[in-house]
Amino acid sequence: IVEIMSSYMNGGSCVGEFCNAGWSEVLTNMSPYGWGSFGLAFGLSLSVIGAAWGIFLTGSSLVGAAVKAPRIRSKNLISVIFCEATAIYGVIMAIVLNGLMKKPEGGVEDGAFVEGWNWGAMYFAGYGVFSAGLSVGLTNVASGIAVGVAGSSCALADAQDPSLFVKILIVEIFASALGIFGIIVGIIQSNNCQFPYDVA
């Protein structure tokens, strides 16, 4: 780094092993376990964000409408439960993805991989776990917001006309199903993602 900085400060061109490295170098030199861990983190955190966002939307409308119609408080809590389900979907997928990332049994000396690893399979698994986690997380953000908006509408409609509760609840169930579809897509994406255990 000192060489690179001094060459720029002296007005010269960059010389060194990593000077002209593009994003392809950065992305392919990152550990496959790092990719998998980022996918797991994105899946879990985005799912929790989706659930929190949905609960915020539903809860605020529920509390506001309950001022005029206190009878809606208990039965409209089902909207909050549907929002929380999106976070649970993220936790389930994080457990599944974590099970795919096994610690290597051999081929590691002093914390570094020795020669002979199947890097193609390793990166395939890393990218697969990353994409599965990201897919589940983004789907659960969309599902959480959709459930929150539908739950908010359900609370407001129920406060005006109790016969509308079941009708809008059906829409909310379909919005919650988006999260299940995300889990299915994530499982399909990560189905063949097995990290090699030892040197090939």
Side-chain angles (χ1 to χ4, degrees):
I1 294 177
V2 175
E3 288 178 25
I4 296 171
M5 292 305 294
S6 63
S7 66
Y8 276 124
M9 292 173 72
N10 294 330
S13 61
C14 179
V15 291
E17 184 181 354
F18 298 108
C19 278
N20 295 318
W23 279 106
S24 63
E25 284 290 316
V26 174
L27 298 178
T28 56
N29 283 306
M30 189 175 143
S31 169
Y33 287 96
W35 282 109
S37 298
F38 277 126
L40 198 147
F42 278 133
L44 188 56
S45 59
L46 289 174
S47 297
V48 171
I49 288 170
W53 202 336
I55 290 170
F56 163 71
L57 292 171
T58 299
S60 57
S61 296
L62 177 58
V63 170
V67 172
K68 287 286 187 182
R71 63 179 171 73
I72 71 166
R73 285 179 301 189
S74 58
K75 69 178 177 178
N76 275 282
L77 284 177
I78 194 165
S79 301
V80 175
I81 294 168
F82 279 138
C83 290
E84 190 61 35
T86 60
I88 294 170
Y89 298 153
V91 170
I92 291 168
M93 199 60 202
I95 292 169
V96 170
L97 295 178
N98 192 39
L100 296 174
M101 296 193 306
K102 301 287 186 191
K103 182 179 177 183
E105 295 176 357
V108 178
E109 292 177 3
D110 298 325
F113 290 105
V114 298
E115 293 294 325
W117 280 93
N118 184 353
W119 288 105
M122 188 89 77
Y123 273 103
F124 177 82
Y127 292 149
V129 171
F130 176 77
S131 65
L134 195 60
S135 297
V136 170
L138 291 174
T139 306
N140 282 333
V141 167
S143 175
I145 294 171
V147 170
V149 170
S152 172
S153 302
C154 188
L156 296 174
D158 186 27
Q160 293 296 321
D161 183 2
S163 67
L164 295 174
F165 176 74
V166 176
K167 296 173 184 173
I168 299 180
L169 189 65
I170 293 170
V171 175
E172 199 170 345
I173 291 169
F174 283 116
S176 181
L178 294 174
I180 297 172
F181 297 151
I183 285 189
I184 293 168
V185 169
I187 289 172
I188 291 170
Q189 284 179 314
S190 65
N191 200 21
N192 294 323
C193 299
Q194 289 294 332
F195 284 83
Y197 298 127
D198 207 339
V199 178

